[in-house]
Amino acid sequence: MLLQLKDLSVNYGPKNILSSINLEIGKGEIVGLIGPNGSGKSTLMKAMVGLIPSNGEISYDDRPLKNISARQLSKHVAYMAQERDVAWDLSVERILALGCEAIGGSVRTPKHKAELEDVVSSLGLEPIRKESILQVSGGEKARALLGRALMQKTPLIIADEPTAGLDPEHQLELQEIFQKLQQQGTSMLVSLHDWTYAARLCTRLAMLKEGRLVAYGLPEEVLTQERVQDVYRVKAHILETEQGPVITPTTRL
Ligand SMILES: Nc1ncnc2c1ncn2[C@@H]1O[C@H](COP(=O)(O)OP(=O)(O)OP(=O)(O)O)[C@@H](O)[C@H]1O
């Protein structure tokens, strides 16, 4: 298994945030992490990459996280945080180069330079590649930070709300990028709030409610009317179409 969690729990001080999470992510999967605000999605992702302490087991390729150095970990997993408050006055291009440097590479070498050009082109960053990250728009910054994660060329990418702030065209572009990565064997764990997007993009969905994993399975098994009502406290309209389901919240309960 690329990533395995056994009985994971996280506390912030006396507050229990996550309890008894068991989860496995295999090769070539796109797992969507869904759940209401405050259900623990970001906390789970941070614990997975060792940014916050946790109890239980986290292992990458059957190796416990605690035995993996920071440099080694950056070759297993790339993480894109929800927080986009970057403080560095660096060009978009330099931000991408940081992803390569995290794994000990340099964009001065032809191989990594070609990878950088590929990421710039697939994320549509060409017009802003020389701009400071501090001066680009919110959606452009999100794409640049995702680009940095892609530059690590890891078998697993963990992205916390990568579609937040993206316009419809760039959301669809991102869906295509993720699906292309999946075809190349990369796995992704992506937190999302848009059910329709999640159901169309993901091979499996993991649903959190108040720090517990209440469902993990195929999108149509997880995003049912009953579960949406129980977990999100809203009614939904679920419509099957040729492009996949359209799932819209309609009424608060
Ligand atoms: N640094 C912190 N100290 C104390 N509590 C925290 C901290 N960070 C998060 N929490 C709490 O942990 C819980 C889960 O937060 P988390 O950010 O993981 O939720 P989320 O599912 O990602 O939410 P959202 O959809 O709003 O991004 C919340 O109750 C939050 O208040």
Side-chain angles (χ1 to χ4, degrees):
M1 273 300 146
L2 265 185
L3 173 63
Q4 192 167 32
L5 308 180
K6 281 191 199 154
D7 206 21
L8 185 91
S9 66
V10 172
N11 295 319
Y12 276 127
K15 223 165 76 174
N16 176 242
I17 307 294
L18 294 172
S19 317
S20 315
I21 307 280
N22 292 290
L23 189 78
E24 288 183 347
I25 302 179
K27 192 171 153 63
E29 286 196 69
I30 308 180
V31 178
L33 186 59
I34 58 174
N37 291 142
S39 57
K41 301 179 297 296
S42 298
T43 305
L44 181 59
M45 291 180 156
K46 285 178 188 165
M48 284 173 171
V49 294
L51 288 176
I52 53 170
S54 57
N55 292 310
E57 285 176 39
I58 303 172
S59 49
Y60 287 89
D61 287 329
D62 299 322
R63 280 179 65 197
L65 175 62
K66 58 179 186 300
N67 297 345
I68 304 177
S69 70
R71 172 57 62 88
Q72 286 170 336
L73 188 65
S74 61
K75 292 183 180 176
H76 279 283
V77 60
Y79 166 67
M80 177 191 171
Q82 187 178 20
E83 297 79 20
R84 313 255 164 88
D85 45 356
V86 176
W88 327 297
D89 186 9
L90 299 175
S91 68
V92 165
E93 213 171 57
R94 274 302 300 151
I95 294 287
L96 300 191
L98 290 178
C100 179
E101 286 158 18
I103 54 165
S106 162
V107 291
R108 288 200 200 92
T109 63
K111 175 173 175 271
H112 294 307
K113 172 82 176 122
E115 285 169 359
L116 181 129
E117 293 306 326
D118 187 41
V119 169
V120 164
S121 135
S122 66
L123 284 170
L125 296 172
E126 187 61 49
I128 54 156
R129 62 189 296 167
K130 303 283 180 203
E131 306 267 327
S132 163
I133 189 82
L134 301 179
Q135 282 164 13
V136 299
S137 79
E140 289 166 347
K141 193 190 281 184
R143 275 150 51 212
L145 293 175
L146 180 68
R148 181 176 66 141
L150 297 185
M151 285 299 292
Q152 284 177 239
K153 300 286 165 198
T154 50
L156 176 65
I157 296 168
I158 295 181
D160 200 347
E161 294 194 33
T163 56
L166 296 195
D167 62 36
E169 185 196 354
H170 287 109
Q171 289 195 22
L172 291 175
E173 178 190 77
L174 194 62
Q175 185 174 336
E176 286 168 19
I177 291 169
F178 283 158
Q179 283 166 339
K180 194 168 151 206
L181 284 166
Q182 181 201 16
Q183 283 159 14
Q184 293 162 357
T186 304
S187 297
M188 283 145 279
L189 176 72
V190 188
S191 70
L192 296 162
H193 277 297
D194 182 331
W195 297 328
T196 299
Y197 193 88
R200 290 180 183 193
L201 171 71
C202 301
T203 52
R204 286 203 281 177
L205 294 180
M207 188 188 260
L208 287 179
K209 177 190 180 186
E210 294 165 6
R212 290 182 179 274
L213 188 66
V214 292
Y216 189 32
L218 297 174
E220 60 269 28
E221 292 166 355
V222 173
L223 277 171
T224 61
Q225 185 66 253
E226 298 71 34
R227 209 171 270 117
V228 164
Q229 290 192 24
D230 172 47
V231 173
Y232 287 88
R233 298 192 307 278
V234 295
K235 278 195 178 173
H237 184 58
I238 303 179
L239 180 72
E240 291 302 330
T241 75
E242 278 178 17
Q243 287 85 31
V246 176
I247 312 169
T248 317
T250 53
T251 343
R252 288 207 299 142
L253 292 175

